[in-house]
Amino acid sequence: MADPEVATKAPESDAAEATQPATSSDTPAQTNPTMGEHCTSDRPTPTGQSSTGEITQLGGVDVYISKPSEYPHAPARLLLLLTGGTGVKSVNNQIQADKFASEGFVVVMPDLFGGDAAPNASTTSEGEDAEPASPSLLEQFKLKAAEAAKSFLIDMWLARHTQEKVMPILHKVIDACKEEFADAVSNGDGIYAVGYCFGGRYILLLASEKEQEQGWAQPQPDEEAGTIRKGPFIKVGALAHATLVSPDDFEGLKAPINMVCVENDPLFPDEVRKAGEDYLSKNNVDHQVKVYPHVPHGFAVVGEYEDAAIRAAQATAFDQMLQWLKDH
């Protein structure tokens, strides 16, 4: 691929162009067509890092909240952070929220899964091989059986956490944020949002003006107009290596969208990305897309990698999303 970067509307850093192919220990085997290992298990937490926020409740939903050190004495903006399958109790996800908080955002990270985080798809620790170099026939059989079991568990988990279940959670949290952090919402003239893996698709749904389908969010009637509320529910959104996205999810998008993508990502195929870009361009929706080569799906979430090139791409992706938020 001669030009691995696809960008529209605004230029981005060229740092990721220097990346090299990932080592085998850093590249997960994509055995499930809808959710990969990086969607359901964390990388090792970077040495010496820990989270600083707290888990509480908003609108009856468990949320992790991280605030700028000077808030509320200094103004801040409200950022909704939607996680992958590892959920709100993941230390890496919490540190990711803290990183945005240190940049002037009150970050609210909701539990999208009601305490039911995704089944851990990896039991391999840092530096270990996922399988022997030359597995015997018995070992190969055991490996395939284990992968089939993982796939089944993840499919069952996904069946429990559908759009009809997740959207009501998001609406409860958004409504509660408008009350609890009215100053931050007002200061930013709306709600900012970022999403990773599983959470990436819901950034698109929240950025859309499409009318809500039956069973989505039990929307409340607008008392003045007597109509059902519709989106967009966020001012601006950014997503990284989203999963479960279809071309239809781009329909009705109105809020500016930034996308961090992985080259040749089977969980966010090129044809889906290109269909989304075409829709955004034809409908004059402000957007930016950057495709990162030689990185695994999930690379933009806080986590330790041996490969320095992946670490550099992770930092670049964060800067890309952060700058997009600050520019809007």
Side-chain angles (χ1 to χ4, degrees):
M1 187 171 180
D3 183 7
E5 178 176 315
V6 180
T8 57
K9 301 295 184 182
E12 280 300 308
S13 166
D14 294 328
E17 293 182 3
T19 58
Q20 299 298 321
T23 62
S24 60
S25 64
D26 285 337
T27 304
Q30 302 292 0
T31 58
N32 190 284
T34 55
M35 293 277 283
E37 180 177 322
H38 281 275
C39 302
T40 58
S41 59
D42 281 332
R43 296 292 300 178
T45 300
T47 303
Q49 293 191 30
S50 60
S51 56
T52 59
E54 64 175 355
I55 293 181
T56 182
Q57 281 204 338
L58 277 179
V61 176
D62 285 347
V63 295
Y64 177 83
I65 296 180
S66 187
K67 305 173 185 176
S69 58
E70 297 182 356
Y71 178 82
H73 304 294
R77 291 180 279 183
L78 195 287
L79 177 68
L80 191 68
L81 192 154
L82 308 183
T83 71
T86 52
V88 71
K89 292 184 179 179
S90 157
V91 174
N92 287 359
N93 290 339
Q94 293 175 358
I95 295 173
Q96 192 78 52
D98 295 344
K99 286 168 63 71
F100 283 106
S102 70
E103 296 290 343
F105 293 91
V106 173
V107 184
V108 175
M109 185 170 72
D111 180 0
L112 304 177
F113 316 118
D116 178 33
N120 191 323
S122 174
T123 56
T124 303
S125 60
E126 179 71 3
E128 293 181 344
D129 293 328
E131 58 185 85
S134 300
S136 67
L137 289 176
L138 178 59
E139 288 168 336
Q140 291 181 45
F141 176 80
K142 289 180 178 179
L143 205 63
K144 290 183 182 296
E147 292 298 332
K150 290 176 186 178
S151 178
F152 175 76
L153 288 174
I154 292 172
D155 287 346
M156 293 296 291
W157 179 82
L158 287 171
R160 296 195 298 272
H161 301 291
T162 61
Q163 177 177 315
E164 289 75 20
K165 298 289 182 63
V166 174
M167 289 301 289
I169 293 172
L170 290 174
H171 282 286
K172 288 177 183 178
V173 171
I174 287 173
D175 288 345
C177 284
K178 290 178 179 178
E179 295 185 10
E180 182 72 19
F181 299 110
D183 59 330
V185 175
S186 176
N187 184 58
D189 193 28
I191 293 176
Y192 296 69
V194 297
Y196 297 85
C197 297
F198 182 97
R201 176 175 182 253
Y202 289 90
I203 297 299
L204 299 178
L205 299 183
L206 291 174
S208 174
E209 68 171 1
K210 284 194 298 188
E211 292 187 2
Q212 307 235 352
E213 298 174 6
Q214 186 176 1
W216 260 29
Q218 301 172 356
Q220 301 172 3
D222 183 305
E223 292 182 357
E224 294 183 2
T227 59
I228 293 177
R229 296 180 306 173
K230 67 176 184 177
F233 297 97
I234 57 175
K235 177 184 178 182
V236 59
L239 55 91
H241 36 71
T243 60
L244 308 170
V245 175
S246 73
D248 289 345
D249 292 329
F250 291 91
E251 295 288 332
L253 277 175
K254 288 296 181 182
I257 289 292
N258 183 289
M259 294 195 292
V260 169
C261 304
V262 174
E263 185 180 29
N264 300 322
D265 186 355
L267 302 181
F268 190 48
D270 289 346
E271 56 266 28
V272 174
R273 172 178 57 79
K274 291 175 181 177
E277 289 184 78
D278 288 345
Y279 179 88
L280 294 168
S281 296
K282 290 176 182 178
N283 289 274
N284 297 315
V285 179
D286 189 13
H287 65 283
Q288 180 187 65
V289 180
K290 185 178 175 72
V291 178
Y292 289 76
H294 313 311
V295 294
H297 183 95
F299 82 98
V301 179
V302 165
E304 190 59 65
Y305 286 94
E306 294 179 356
D307 193 318
I310 298 178
R311 296 198 301 271
Q314 186 181 91
T316 301
F318 176 76
D319 289 342
Q320 173 187 334
M321 298 171 81
L322 176 64
Q323 194 60 52
W324 181 258
L325 299 175
K326 288 187 171 182
D327 287 348
H328 291 78

